[in-house]
Amino acid sequence: MEIFIYVFAALFSVINPLGAIPIFVGLTQQDTKEERSRISLWTAINVFIILIISFFVGQYVLNFFGISIDALRIAGGLIILNSGFALLSGRFNKTRGVNKKVENDAQNRNDIALTPLAIPMLAGPGSISLLIALYQDYQHLNEQIIVCLSIAAVAIVIFLVMRSAHYLSRILGASGIVAISRIIGFIVIAIGVQYISSSVVNILKTISS
């Protein structure tokens, strides 16, 4: 249960589906309720598939390029830190690769569930690098099953948040979403610092030994 809660909390904080509400509302404002539900479902499915692939295949990609897990944790920690500071400063959309040009292009797409919603808005470099690092921490089958369940739970939450995005945007308002995003941003920064500090300690231990 501890693994499930830790992975779920870390992934949810880094992905921050609440911060994606304004973008989703803007991209789907002309769509019907049924179409929004369909886009929400396929966005969640796409995110789940991307994260599962990242968790199980990412390590082999690292080995192919000769990248150590500590180097990945430092790089991922920097990306997560950048996302956290972006949440605190209110410029998170830019760090997700969703700018005005991307939004305009998305308006002309028949289906936006894969891009830009799933990639890069939700399943971005921060969450992908986090899962690759988690694979090293949880090598046993039962632990990996729990991680997969956590990823599935995050995907379900993404679906519920996206499906209710128009309603939540009216209830929370822009100020409410910003306030929640800033609280999450503080947690994200702590996760990034933890990954960088633990990797630096491992590198120093290796050098000293």
Side-chain angles (χ1 to χ4, degrees):
M1 193 64 182
E2 291 181 2
I3 296 175
F4 179 88
I5 294 174
Y6 170 73
V7 175
F8 176 86
L11 267 181
F12 181 85
S13 299
V14 173
I15 292 175
N16 184 26
L18 294 175
I21 288 177
I23 301 173
F24 182 87
V25 170
L27 294 178
T28 61
Q29 57 186 345
Q30 303 299 329
D31 296 326
T32 63
K33 186 175 181 180
E34 292 73 19
E35 183 67 10
R36 291 169 187 166
S37 296
R38 187 191 68 81
I39 293 174
S40 301
L41 176 61
W42 279 104
T43 298
I45 292 173
N46 288 332
V47 170
F48 175 77
I49 293 172
I50 293 167
L51 296 182
I52 287 291
I53 292 174
S54 301
F55 180 65
F56 286 105
V57 180
Q59 179 59 45
Y60 299 101
V61 176
L62 292 184
N63 293 337
F64 179 80
F65 288 104
I67 302 173
S68 69
I69 189 62
D70 286 322
L72 174 80
R73 283 192 173 121
I74 292 175
L78 291 173
I79 294 172
I80 293 171
L81 271 177
N82 184 52
S83 298
F85 283 117
L87 282 168
L88 287 176
S89 63
R91 57 178 183 85
F92 193 52
N93 291 356
K94 295 180 180 179
T95 67
R96 293 188 175 200
V98 181
N99 51 35
K100 195 65 179 177
K101 183 178 179 180
V102 174
E103 287 188 33
N104 292 336
D105 178 66
Q107 294 287 359
N108 298 321
R109 291 178 180 269
N110 292 326
D111 198 339
I112 57 174
L114 178 59
T115 177
L117 291 180
I119 302 175
M121 194 168 72
L122 295 171
S127 57
I128 291 173
S129 59
L130 175 65
L131 283 170
I132 296 174
L134 286 174
Y135 184 82
Q136 296 296 313
D137 298 331
Y138 304 116
Q139 295 286 324
H140 299 294
L141 179 60
N142 61 327
E143 294 176 336
Q144 293 176 350
I145 291 174
I146 294 174
V147 172
C148 291
L149 292 175
S150 298
I151 295 173
V154 170
I156 292 172
V157 172
I158 289 173
F159 167 69
L160 295 176
V161 170
M162 294 297 101
R163 187 181 181 187
S164 308
H166 288 257
Y167 176 75
L168 291 173
S169 66
R170 292 194 297 268
I171 296 298
L172 297 175
S175 59
I177 294 174
V178 169
I180 295 174
S181 294
R182 286 180 175 173
I183 294 173
I184 295 175
F186 181 77
I187 300 173
V188 171
I189 291 174
I191 294 172
V193 170
Q194 175 64 37
Y195 266 75
I196 293 174
S197 61
S198 62
S199 300
V200 171
V201 169
N202 289 337
I203 292 173
L204 291 177
K205 286 181 179 179
T206 302
I207 294 174
S208 61
S209 60

